[in-house]
């Protein structure tokens, strides 16, 4: 037989009875450690001295009793199995003792039930202990989390699916001026900026629908003083706990008493105030933008002066030549000087005009002036004019596809765009070259394509062609300001259109401009549509 250790404290005045009981227990297979006590003080001493597995008490002793021993045990908050073994005890007294907390009672002389009773009580006591330990662990955990929540800098909010605030951590008062109880029970949306409500509702819905989704969101929450604070929050579904285990039941009671709800479909929002950070970011961005702008202005002005210096130098040199060598220069030399003066003046005029247009576009002074226009006629006339200018040196070939009327565009700006692209195609092509100009309309869009077989544009330059003054590195002595395409780009943008380039050095270049046939619609109604319909 296996001998199990058992530490028994016997509350018994009779030495003989104690020994008899001990003998019974040893016979039942216990390896016994026992002590007999018969007064409160000896019992206290025994309890102080060591740990006991079980207490077996006689009911009446000369100067002690089972109920007194039980009370003593309870006062010391010891949860030990307490079994009464007595010869004199009546049924009613036994029942009263059980009610007072004794675990069982047995008659002396009928101890067959003793061993199984002890086994059962030991088992139950061990279960009670485990449960107590688990409860203790849960309680400590809860306390730790509550301390974390209540001392956190962030605001912890629990809202239910209807947006009602179920819990608000104490930090809300420091950040938003409200006491937590002022907000609990209120609808969170009443405090959210109207412009942020849809977004917040959308995020909360997403979180509600997916238990493992964590989403972050920014919104404005009205401070108690009426000002708006920007909060950055992380939202997560608060899971309903399983109510099967006793520890969780305990938990629920705890939670209720601390007002943290465990309702279904709640969301925990962990928010912090980022108003100051946002403000600082905004100021930094504004400063950065201003610096960029003033740098861009400075660059523009320096490039502009540089561009003017060139023709001005030519004017100075040519006029000096004419003045100083009036009699010595030949007629052809004189004519060359005069031509130089003329071309320099023309160049400067062009520069001035381009700069004026760009500046007007930049300060928003350039508005679209939309008219109903017949694109096919418009393009035919333009090509005709330009062909006359180009004489026999180049051939402009126009094709038109699709139905382009009615079109609502700014004719002046469109002319500027197309003249620029066509004259570039001419300028950067060898004499005798063909320029293909195609207009095609479909899906409410007009597509203008200008294709040449000229010098092409190096890949590295293509990215920056629309910046003011940028010219391809392969232009050589071909004159130009580097402003044309940046103007074209601005005009295309004004129409809500797009421009793209396809080019290979030595092969040729194709510019494609796509404009909406009805610009006033594609620019989001900023423009007065009546401009077109009135015609
Ligand atoms: P520019 O007055 O120099 O022609 P643009 O702004 O019109 O200024 O064009 C910018 C640069 O783009 C030109 O300097 C040239 O390098 C390149 N470019 C424009 N169109 C063509 C073209 N059809 N073929 C080759 N290069 C072109």
């Amino acid at each position: 037989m296996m001998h199990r250790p058992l530490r028994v404290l016997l509350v018994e005045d009779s030495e003989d009875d104690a020994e008899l009981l001990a003998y019974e227990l040893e016979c039942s297979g216990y390896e016994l450690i026992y002590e007999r006590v018969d007064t409160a003080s000896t019992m206290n001493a025994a309890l102080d001295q060591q740990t006991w597995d079980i207490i077996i008490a006689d009911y009446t002793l000369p100067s002690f009793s089972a109920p007194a021993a039980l009370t003593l045990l309870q006062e010391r908050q010891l949860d030990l199995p307490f079994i009464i073994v007595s010869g004199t005890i009546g049924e009613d007294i036994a029942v009263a003792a059980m009610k007072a907390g004794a675990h069982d009672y047995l008659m002396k002389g009928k101890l067959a039930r003793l061993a199984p009773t002890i086994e059962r009580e030991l088992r139950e006591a061990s279960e009670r202990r485990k449960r107590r330990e688990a409860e203790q662990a849960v309680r400590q955990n809860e306390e730790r989390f509550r301390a974390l929540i209540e001392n956190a800098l962030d605001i912890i909010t629990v809202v239910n699916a209807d947006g009602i605030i179920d819990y608000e951590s104490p930090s809300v008062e420091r950040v938003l001026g409200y006491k937590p109880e002022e907000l609990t029970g209120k609808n969170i949306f009443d405090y959210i900026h109207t412009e942020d409500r849809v977004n917040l509702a959308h995020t909360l819905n997403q979180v509600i629908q997916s238990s493992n989704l964590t989403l972050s969101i920014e919104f404005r929450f009205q401070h108690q003083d009426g000002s708006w604070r920007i909060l950055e929050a992380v939202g997560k579904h608060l899971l309903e706990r399983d109510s099967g285990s006793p520890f969780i039941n305990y938990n629920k009671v705890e939670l209720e008493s601390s007002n943290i709800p465990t309702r279904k479909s709640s969301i925990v929002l962990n928010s912090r105030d980022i108003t100051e950070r946002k403000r600082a970011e905004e100021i930094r961005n504004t400063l950065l933008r201003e610096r960029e702008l003033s740098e861009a202005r400075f660059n523009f002005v320096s490039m502009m002066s540089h561009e003017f210096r060139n023709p001005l130098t030519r004017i100075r040199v040519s006029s000096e030549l004419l003045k100083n060598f009036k009699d010595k220069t030949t007629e052809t030399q004189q004519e060359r000087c005069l031509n130089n003066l003329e071309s320099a003046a023309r160049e400067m005029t062009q520069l001035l005009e381009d700069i004026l247009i760009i500046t007007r576009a930049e300060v928003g002074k350039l508005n679209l002036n939309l008219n109903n226009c017949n694109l096919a006629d418009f393009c035919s006339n333009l090509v005709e004019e330009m062909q006359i200018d180009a004489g026999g040196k180049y051939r402009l070939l126009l094709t038109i596809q699709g139905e382009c009327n009615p079109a609502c565009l700014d004719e002046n700006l469109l002319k500027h765009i197309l003249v620029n692209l066509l004259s570039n195609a001419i300028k950067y092509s060898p004499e005798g070259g063909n320029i293909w100009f195609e207009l095609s309309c479909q899906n409410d869009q007009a597509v203008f394509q200008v294709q040449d077989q000229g010098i092409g544009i190096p890949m590295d330059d293509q990215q920056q062609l629309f910046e003011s003054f940028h010219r391809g590195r392969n232009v050589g002595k071909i004159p130009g300001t580097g402003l044309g395409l940046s103007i074209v780009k601005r005009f295309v943008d004004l129409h809500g259109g797009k421009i793209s380039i396809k080019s290979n050095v030595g092969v040729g270049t194709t510019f494609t401009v796509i404009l909406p046939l009805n610009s006033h619609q594609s620019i989001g109604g900023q423009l007065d549509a009546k401009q077109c319909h009135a015609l």
Side-chain angles (χ1 to χ4, degrees):
M1 187 193 277
M2 273 269 293
H3 285 269
R4 284 158 295 155
L6 184 70
R7 294 162 297 185
V8 187
L9 185 61
L10 291 172
V11 182
E12 174 66 76
D13 58 323
S14 152
E15 184 72 53
D16 288 348
D17 284 0
E19 272 175 18
L20 192 65
L21 203 71
Y23 175 72
E24 284 278 345
L25 289 172
E26 274 163 358
C27 289
S28 307
Y30 292 109
E31 196 182 302
L32 209 65
I33 293 174
Y34 82 92
E35 189 173 334
R36 184 180 66 81
V37 293
D38 54 6
T39 60
S41 62
T42 48
M43 177 166 169
N44 264 326
L47 287 171
D48 285 340
Q49 208 172 10
Q50 72 162 94
T51 313
W52 299 98
D53 295 320
I54 194 158
I55 296 178
I56 298 179
D58 192 359
Y59 194 79
T60 36
L61 293 83
S63 49
F64 205 27
S65 72
L70 195 56
T71 312
L72 187 151
L73 201 63
Q74 283 161 349
E75 273 167 10
R76 293 182 66 127
Q77 294 187 326
L78 285 172
D79 178 19
L80 289 177
F82 191 98
I83 298 168
I84 299 172
V85 177
S86 180
T88 53
I89 191 169
E91 189 87 7
D92 46 344
I93 293 176
V95 169
M98 298 278 286
K99 272 193 185 146
H103 292 99
D104 208 344
Y105 74 95
L106 302 172
M107 291 295 174
K108 277 185 183 167
K110 291 187 182 172
L111 291 178
R113 235 169 23 93
L114 184 59
T117 304
I118 289 175
E119 278 308 302
R120 188 194 66 225
E121 288 308 323
L122 286 177
R123 209 168 40 243
E124 282 183 10
S126 143
E127 262 161 33
R128 282 199 302 275
R129 191 174 54 249
K130 278 191 208 144
R131 180 184 302 187
R132 244 187 343 261
E133 281 165 7
E135 282 175 0
Q136 176 74 9
V138 170
R139 190 180 305 129
Q140 277 172 356
N141 234 355
E142 282 297 331
E143 274 161 11
R144 203 163 43 232
F145 279 125
R146 192 170 323 125
L148 271 179
I149 286 176
E150 301 199 339
N151 297 311
L153 290 177
D154 287 3
I155 308 171
I156 318 283
T157 309
V158 179
V159 281
N160 70 17
D162 303 323
I164 303 298
I165 299 172
D166 282 336
Y167 173 82
E168 198 68 83
S169 66
S171 48
V172 74
E173 187 170 359
R174 187 180 43 79
V175 182
L176 297 169
Y178 304 95
K179 295 208 178 318
E181 57 273 21
E182 282 179 81
L183 291 177
T184 37
K186 302 279 168 52
N187 192 318
I188 193 170
F189 288 99
D190 291 346
Y191 300 86
I192 305 291
H193 196 286
T194 40
E195 288 168 16
D196 299 340
R197 285 182 193 165
V198 173
N199 215 357
L200 179 65
H202 179 69
T203 307
L204 296 189
N205 270 333
Q206 276 180 294
V207 170
I208 284 270
Q209 274 156 29
S210 166
S211 54
N212 37 26
L213 193 68
T214 306
L215 288 180
S216 46
I217 182 169
E218 256 178 54
F219 50 84
R220 282 161 288 179
F221 198 107
Q222 192 156 36
H223 190 281
Q224 207 222 7
D225 66 12
S227 66
W228 290 103
R229 309 299 297 177
I230 306 170
L231 299 187
E232 179 186 65
V234 179
K236 184 147 178 45
H237 199 125
L238 179 71
L239 286 176
E240 171 78 350
R241 298 178 199 226
D242 171 12
S243 53
S245 129
F247 312 132
I248 304 302
N249 281 338
Y250 154 79
N251 228 353
K252 284 201 162 167
V253 175
E254 277 295 294
L255 286 171
E256 269 154 32
S257 66
S258 70
N259 273 339
I260 303 176
T262 54
R263 296 170 63 167
K264 275 211 171 92
S265 292
S266 292
I267 300 158
V268 200
L269 283 174
N270 200 321
S271 338
R272 66 179 53 169
D273 186 354
I274 56 161
T275 316
E276 298 313 322
R277 194 180 87 197
K278 279 268 161 185
R279 218 165 268 161
E281 265 171 26
E282 248 166 52
I283 293 173
R284 203 170 45 239
N285 285 342
T286 315
L287 287 176
L288 216 65
R289 252 197 321 274
E290 267 174 19
R291 201 165 66 205
E292 275 169 15
L293 267 178
S294 72
E295 262 171 28
R297 258 181 240 126
F298 176 79
N299 287 344
F300 187 82
V301 171
S302 10
M303 288 209 244
M304 192 174 80
S305 345
H306 177 81
E307 295 300 319
F308 271 110
R309 204 157 285 150
N310 214 354
L312 276 174
T313 311
R314 280 183 5 245
I315 289 173
R316 191 167 42 79
V317 171
S318 300
S319 57
E320 269 171 17
L321 271 177
L322 283 175
K323 199 165 69 191
N324 296 343
F325 306 102
K326 218 176 356 189
D327 307 323
K328 293 172 206 141
T329 47
T330 60
E331 228 167 78
T332 39
Q333 277 170 329
Q334 276 185 14
E335 201 179 316
R336 203 173 328 133
C337 283
L338 286 172
N339 281 346
N340 253 339
L341 282 176
E342 208 181 355
S343 81
R346 213 177 316 121
E347 213 170 285
M348 283 176 69
T349 315
Q350 181 68 47
L351 249 174
L352 265 182
E353 266 175 20
D354 286 354
I355 286 168
L356 210 63
I357 292 175
I358 283 204
T359 318
R360 273 169 61 205
E362 216 143 64
V363 295
K365 284 259 162 69
L366 201 91
N367 291 322
L368 276 190
N369 190 10
L370 297 175
N371 321 300
N372 273 328
C373 86
N374 183 323
L375 273 187
D377 289 355
F378 181 86
C379 290
S380 307
N381 294 338
L382 185 68
V383 166
E384 213 169 287
E385 272 174 42
M386 293 197 70
Q387 184 65 70
I388 292 170
D389 281 351
K393 293 181 192 159
Y394 298 93
R395 262 196 329 154
L396 295 174
L397 306 162
L398 173 68
T399 48
I400 299 175
Q401 284 177 21
E403 178 54 58
C404 298
N405 298 322
C408 178
L409 296 157
D410 184 321
E411 273 186 328
N412 277 332
L413 300 194
L414 181 62
K415 186 164 183 180
H416 215 104
I417 295 171
L418 296 176
V419 167
N420 232 302
L421 296 182
L422 288 167
S423 43
N424 273 352
I426 292 171
K427 189 164 73 171
Y428 295 108
S429 294
E431 265 189 37
N434 284 343
I435 315 294
W436 289 272
F437 177 24
E438 186 185 299
L439 163 67
S440 62
C441 294
Q442 58 180 2
N443 302 332
D444 287 329
Q445 286 184 329
V447 182
F448 305 87
Q449 218 164 49
V450 176
Q451 188 183 356
D452 63 53
Q453 289 174 316
I455 62 170
I457 305 167
M459 210 54 197
D460 286 349
D461 291 315
Q462 289 185 21
Q463 316 290 331
Q464 300 153 66
L465 280 193
F466 301 114
E467 288 169 18
S468 302
F469 302 113
H470 193 95
R471 303 198 68 204
R473 60 204 64 187
N474 61 338
V475 292
K477 285 197 154 65
I478 305 170
T481 62
L483 288 173
L485 284 181
S486 81
I487 297 173
V488 166
K489 172 84 169 85
R490 272 158 226 248
F491 288 180
V492 170
D493 286 347
L494 269 176
H495 276 92
K498 286 195 192 95
I499 180 163
S500 58
I501 319 166
K502 235 169 101 182
S503 183
N504 284 310
V505 173
V507 179
T509 302
T510 306
F511 276 92
T512 306
V513 169
I514 302 177
L515 300 183
L517 278 173
N518 291 291
S519 287
H520 61 277
Q521 285 169 358
S522 66
I523 314 174
Q526 290 167 13
L527 297 154
D528 190 357
K530 277 183 242 149
Q531 286 188 65
C532 278
H533 297 147
L535 286 168

